Amino acid sequence: MTLASESNKLQFAGNGSTTAFAITFNFWADSNIVATLRSATGVETVWALGTNYTLTGGSATGATGTLTATGGNIPASGETLTIASNVPTTQPTDLPVGGPFPSTSVETQLDQLSRQVAQVERITDRCLKFPETDALALTAAFLSSVDRASRIAGFDSAGNVTLYSATTPAYALLSAAAAPVDPQYDVVKARNNLNFGILY
């Protein structure tokens, strides 16, 4: 088979009655699916297969299917059910030496590899990224957990990532950030609006 789409995540708005949700992307095993329910207040709960839902479809060579909520776990109005691909980054197929070319096995592995790449892209698409033309790079000092402890990430006058002490008064940080955006914006108001008082 081929993978004609990069789709590997679906989201459904709950309505208190729908229990069956179509999985329109291919999956090869039940373990390739992860379901997460987000409440109206933003609390996320990862569902357990066999407890919160069952799966039909999927196959060793890849197929679409259906997720069915069970045990009264029906997404309510205001809740969102996210169904995502979770193909592990392993390569379980052992190809034989010699003999007929195992085209089905090879194609399945290529399909799963493409899916793994799409899953990584799904994660990086939600990350803070710098423009392609920006020479900015994170330094080892910034990435060190020892250096990050009790400090605040920010940007210096050159736009480079830097770390500020958590003991720095919040208004000092806000004055540099807020003034270029709106010179009339009061720093004290900014501190109050952003609830930065906890940094004192």
Side-chain angles (χ1 to χ4, degrees), residues 3 43 56 60 63 73 81 86 101 106-107 114-115 146 153 180:
L3 292 183
V43 177
T56 56
N73 297 287
L81 179 64
N86 187 37
F101 180 69
V106 171
E107 185 173 26
S114 295
R115 175 62 56 75
V146 174

Side-chain angles (χ1 to χ4, degrees), residues 43-57:
V43 177
E44 295 186 348
T45 302
V46 178
W47 277 6
L49 178 64
T51 300
N52 305 108
Y53 69 97
T54 59
L55 289 171
T56 56

Side-chain angles (χ1 to χ4, degrees), residues 22-121:
I23 302 176
T24 55
F25 57 79
N26 304 75
F27 60 101
W28 295 266
D30 288 354
S31 58
N32 292 167
I33 298 297
V34 60
T36 306
L37 184 70
R38 182 186 177 105
S39 72
T41 58
V43 177
E44 295 186 348
T45 302
V46 178
W47 277 6
L49 178 64
T51 300
N52 305 108
Y53 69 97
T54 59
L55 289 171
T56 56
S59 69
T61 56
T64 58
T66 301
L67 180 149
T68 302
T70 60
N73 297 287
I74 303 173
S77 178
E79 296 182 328
T80 302
L81 179 64
T82 298
I83 303 173
S85 174
N86 187 37
V87 176
T89 53
T90 57
Q91 200 296 88
T93 302
D94 185 16
L95 299 176
V97 178
F101 180 69
S103 58
T104 300
S105 296
V106 171
E107 185 173 26
T108 296
Q109 287 305 307
L110 290 175
D111 291 342
Q112 292 181 343
L113 179 60
S114 295
R115 175 62 56 75
Q116 290 164 354
V117 172
Q119 290 175 182
V120 173
E121 187 177 50

Side-chain angles (χ1 to χ4, degrees), residues 122-171:
R122 187 181 79 219
I123 296 171
T124 58
D125 281 347
R126 300 194 308 275
C127 296
L128 177 66
K129 292 177 283 189
F130 299 108
E132 189 70 37
T133 56
D134 201 328
L136 182 70
L138 299 180
T139 64
F142 176 74
L143 296 176
S144 167
S145 61
V146 174
D147 290 326
R148 290 197 317 268
S150 300
R151 303 187 75 182
I152 304 166
F155 301 93
D156 61 20
S157 59
N160 295 314
V161 177
T162 189
L163 292 167
Y164 295 96
S165 171
T167 59
T168 301
Y171 64 82

